[in-house]
Amino acid sequence: MTTPPSGLRERKKRATREALREAALRLAVERGLDQVRVEDIAEAAGVSPRTYNNYFASREQAIVSAVTADREARIAAAVAGRPAGVRLADAVTEAVVEQYTNTGEREHEALLLITTQTALRDAFLDTTAGIEPPLTAVIAERLGEAEAHTARVLAASVAAAVRIAMEGWLRPTGNAEAAGSFGARGLVVPSGSLPDRLRETLAPLAPAFDAAERRTQP
């Protein structure tokens, strides 16, 4: 049997992953989470349940992936794309806010579903840890090799801050319906908007970012 070239193999893997997460989200929106099985998702994507398990550990993970796919890489790319003169703390904050709140109609629908299901909320929160590796790389590039350890600490702190902000939005004291509403400033919770919550939790990290940048200045 001929082994496909690595590039083709990777494209097939990406296509399969995308098909699975899109099928998972579509079925969950149409039927409700409780009426969706792994077998249903696999069938809708045209693969076997065994293949499904090679990509996702649960149906919740697949559904959430449809909303969060590549978000971590986009955050890092947005930071890298900011002009060198932009304060690093500001670049990171704006990149995070942009990628977590700039959602389309499909994402809005998915997020409304996530707010009403505990298992989906937990899976969604778990995705914030994925911010650390790509953000570490881009911060290290900005600060230099001497600050590689600092870059990792800063990136991990950003991931933790984002999780705290999202916990406050996804687990509000109000009802689930209110938590899933939308306003002119983006996703809204009873205590305020998601952009404001993200900026609030990231703000304490600014002095550490500033100190790291000062150490790298000639």
Side-chain angles (χ1 to χ4, degrees):
M1 180 178 178
T2 302
T3 302
S6 59
L8 177 59
R9 186 162 58 247
E10 287 304 314
R11 287 196 296 274
K12 286 183 175 180
K13 286 182 178 180
R14 287 196 297 270
T16 299
R17 181 180 293 275
E18 182 175 356
L20 285 168
R21 68 192 185 209
E22 293 300 322
L25 176 58
R26 176 174 55 80
L27 291 174
V29 170
E30 291 176 355
R31 305 179 183 178
L33 180 63
D34 293 339
Q35 302 303 316
V36 179
R37 304 174 304 160
V38 166
E39 292 80 4
D40 299 328
I41 300 171
E43 181 180 358
V47 301
S48 68
R50 181 176 179 179
T51 296
Y52 175 96
N53 291 329
N54 290 334
Y55 290 86
F56 297 106
S58 67
R59 61 184 179 172
E60 288 82 9
Q61 191 181 81
I63 293 166
V64 166
S65 179
V67 181
T68 63
D70 304 322
R71 174 180 286 164
E72 299 87 356
R74 293 197 305 270
I75 289 173
V79 174
R82 294 294 197 276
V86 174
R87 182 180 176 221
L88 185 54
D90 293 337
V92 170
T93 297
E94 293 311 309
V96 168
V97 170
E98 177 184 330
Q99 293 303 322
Y100 269 87
T101 61
N102 186 19
T103 56
E105 183 177 348
R106 186 182 71 96
E107 286 79 8
H108 284 189
E109 193 173 35
L111 287 169
L112 287 172
L113 175 67
I114 289 170
T115 62
T116 64
Q117 300 288 335
T118 300
L120 287 175
R121 291 199 299 269
D122 290 343
F124 186 78
L125 289 171
D126 287 343
T127 65
T128 59
I131 293 172
E132 182 183 340
L135 190 56
T136 294
V138 76
I139 292 174
E141 184 176 351
R142 174 86 170 254
L143 298 178
E145 292 183 6
E147 295 290 335
H149 180 70
T150 298
R152 184 177 179 185
V153 172
L154 290 172
S157 300
V158 170
V162 172
R163 183 182 178 99
I164 290 169
M166 298 306 297
E167 283 178 344
W169 171 59
L170 290 170
R171 295 171 180 163
T173 56
N175 59 53
E177 183 178 354
S181 63
F182 297 88
R185 299 188 66 187
L187 303 176
V188 176
V189 297
S191 59
S193 71
L194 179 56
D196 288 346
R197 190 175 286 271
L198 285 166
R199 290 191 175 93
E200 179 183 355
T201 57
L202 290 168
L205 303 182
F209 274 103
D210 291 344
E213 283 197 288
R214 284 195 297 271
R215 287 196 298 270
T216 63
Q217 291 175 353

